[in-house]
Amino acid sequence: MSAVTDASKLMNNYSRWPIRLVKGKGNTVWDEQGNEYLDCTSGIAVTSLGHVPPRVSERLQQQLGQLWHTSNLFEHPLQEQLAGKLAALSGLDRAFFCNSGAEANEAAIKLARRWQQKVKGEQRYEIITFQQSFHGRTLATLTATGQDKVKDGFAPLPEGFVTVPYNDLAALTEAISARTCAVLLELVQGEGGVTPADPAWVRALEQLCAKTGVLLIIDEVQTGIGRTGTWFAYQQYGIKPDIVSLAKGLGSGFPVGAILAREEVGEAFSPGTHGSTFGGNPLAMAAGLATIEVIEQERLLERVNELSRYLLSRLERIKQAHPAKVADVRGKGLLLGVELTQPVADVLAYMREKRVLALQAGPQVIRLLPSFVSTEAELDRLAEVLDAAIAAV
Ligand SMILES: *Cc1c(COP(=O)(O)O)cnc(C)c1O
């Protein structure tokens, strides 16, 4: 039987690049014709250890021969191990496992509402989010998302979400009321343009939440598990959230999501209140445990910071070389953005022709997400091709 190579039976919900990848190793991916690409997308901040990282692969293969799925009817040693690990790294006490970022945020919203309404006994349900945020594609998480394009055609949307400007304390203060349940925040807006939150604003926001009894949920789906140079981005802001959501980088490419919560808040999920058939399955837990082990044992957080400084200095030089075309260079760790004064689509297409893959974050921002096992030579190649692409457009 010949392989099916016809996209006409797929729904047309993605605008895909015309590249058909079939193999990956480290930071290199290959297409059907054998062309080799340098991957600076990491599958949208997922394959942080590169493609098919050997120790995660071994751990998964061992688990594949042992047990794939049990459901959550049973006690679960691997979930307990990963929850313990995440608690030690985050300072938060309890974990719930699911399969994606949207599901993690969905769980965070449910936990926050249930805690306010059942534990605290207060009629608080409203979730405050921010313009240009991205929280997922389920009905609740697309409603939480501060970008109209993801909502088009999906009305009626769930009630109880309010969106205010990012980095704006007056707007947030104004929005908080006796109905407010939680604030849901990305510390670096990933999809929305690689925009970091202002540290003074974040500290004031934390204090405001504490004073008004509002829960603080940090969406670390893109920033978590080392991407910004610490295990979690909130650790650089000196704050302690009530709930944190995780997904992308947690399983090195194996689907897994999670929320972490303070002990008291986590208690709102009592037996029967929330669940997921696949959530926390043994393969996903093995991938998560191995990913964290590799980051720890190979000291990759330090490496993320080194590589970040290296790439940022190269990007600053590109900005100086093209002052009319590059408006800004920003980001944290290996979540970096180059804002142009024009649309970036042609720049990315030029880079793809030169076999370097990079992403977009909004119409005018190039998003760079190299893996934690990148070499300086690979980042040099990225910078050279980006420089040539900006010069050419
Ligand atoms: C990608 C992303 C999500 C959604 O994750 P999915 O796994 O695609 O559902 C949510 N929040 C942030 C910050 C993200 O970057």
Side-chain angles (χ1 to χ4, degrees):
M1 205 175 78
S2 68
V4 176
T5 56
D6 179 0
S8 71
K9 295 295 177 283
L10 285 171
M11 289 200 194
N12 199 23
N13 57 315
Y14 299 108
S15 58
R16 298 177 192 267
W17 299 336
I19 297 175
R20 301 166 75 85
L21 298 175
V22 291
K23 191 180 136 183
K25 190 78 212 141
N27 304 311
T28 306
V29 285
W30 287 266
D31 69 14
E32 282 178 345
Q33 287 79 40
N35 295 311
E36 193 175 307
Y37 298 81
L38 175 62
D39 183 8
C40 300
T41 71
S42 297
I44 319 186
V46 169
T47 54
S48 298
L49 306 182
H51 292 276
V52 196
R55 289 173 51 196
V56 182
S57 176
E58 276 161 32
R59 186 74 184 259
L60 273 172
Q61 284 175 47
Q62 183 206 335
Q63 192 62 43
L64 268 171
Q66 197 172 323
L67 185 67
W68 295 9
H69 178 81
T70 59
S71 84
N72 286 298
L73 294 169
F74 302 93
E75 290 187 1
H76 207 305
L78 290 175
Q79 282 186 21
E80 291 169 12
Q81 274 182 48
L82 185 55
K85 197 77 224 183
L86 290 169
L89 298 175
S90 68
L92 293 164
D93 310 287
R94 297 271 176 170
F96 164 79
F97 293 108
C98 53
N99 312 287
S100 70
E103 264 185 82
N105 284 328
E106 191 83 24
I109 293 164
K110 283 181 70 178
L111 181 67
R113 282 192 175 165
R114 198 163 200 285
W115 183 77
Q116 294 282 13
Q117 294 173 32
K118 295 289 179 180
V119 180
K120 291 265 304 242
E122 293 187 20
Q123 266 320 298
R124 290 171 175 254
Y125 57 85
E126 210 164 73
I127 311 289
I128 297 179
T129 68
F130 299 93
Q131 288 171 7
Q132 293 305 118
S133 63
F134 183 82
H135 299 295
R137 301 284 195 163
T138 63
L139 278 170
T141 58
L142 76 82
T143 307
T145 292
Q147 303 184 49
D148 288 340
K149 63 182 185 195
V150 308
K151 307 184 189 193
D152 189 32
F154 298 119
L157 301 179
E159 277 177 55
F161 292 85
V162 175
T163 303
V164 300
Y166 195 56
N167 284 332
D168 182 336
L169 189 60
L172 178 66
T173 310
E174 177 88 6
I176 290 181
S177 75
R179 292 186 302 275
T180 310
C181 167
V183 168
L184 171 58
L185 170 69
E186 285 167 281
L187 290 169
V188 182
Q189 288 187 334
E191 308 295 318
V194 192
T195 314
D198 169 40
W201 177 69
V202 172
R203 283 192 297 275
L205 178 154
E206 183 194 36
Q207 282 172 12
L208 193 57
C209 286
K211 204 174 75 189
T212 52
V214 169
L215 293 176
L216 177 52
I217 309 172
I218 303 295
D219 180 344
E220 296 252 12
V221 169
Q222 188 154 165
T223 52
I225 313 298
R227 178 52 65 182
T228 66
T230 45
W231 282 104
F232 307 97
Y234 69 79
Q235 292 166 330
Q236 291 173 52
Y237 282 85
I239 58 165
K240 183 155 185 200
D242 298 295
I243 306 173
V244 165
S245 55
L246 295 173
K248 291 190 166 96
L250 180 55
S252 293
F254 199 95
V256 54
I259 57 169
L260 313 176
R262 286 199 292 116
E263 179 73 33
E264 188 207 2
V265 175
E267 279 170 12
F269 274 174
S270 52
T273 54
H274 190 57
S276 164
T277 298
F278 290 134
N281 104 11
L283 293 167
M285 296 299 95
L289 282 163
T291 298
I292 289 173
E293 246 170 59
V294 171
I295 293 173
E296 278 181 328
Q297 289 175 6
E298 298 183 7
R299 300 176 154 275
L300 290 180
L301 295 184
E302 285 166 36
R303 193 65 188 138
V304 169
N305 288 303
E306 266 172 33
L307 292 167
S308 178
R309 282 191 294 273
Y310 187 83
L311 183 54
L312 270 172
S313 76
R314 299 257 356 201
L315 297 177
E316 287 295 346
R317 268 187 276 157
I318 293 175
K319 184 182 165 208
Q320 281 158 20
H322 308 280
K325 290 179 178 171
V326 180
D328 194 20
V329 165
R330 58 178 180 253
K332 283 185 187 295
L334 290 175
L335 168 52
L336 297 178
V338 179
E339 182 176 353
L340 302 189
T341 55
Q342 62 190 75
V344 298
D346 291 346
V347 175
L348 295 178
Y350 179 102
M351 292 175 74
R352 287 199 294 274
E353 271 173 33
K354 302 289 178 209
R355 311 261 186 263
V356 173
L357 306 178
L359 274 171
Q360 187 162 345
Q364 302 210 148
V365 181
I366 297 164
R367 182 171 29 156
L368 304 173
L369 292 162
S371 87
F372 306 173
V373 296
S374 298
T375 62
E376 277 81 356
E378 285 168 330
L379 298 186
D380 285 341
R381 172 141 174 253
L382 164 62
E384 278 154 27
V385 170
L386 176 62
D387 190 19
I390 292 173
V393 296

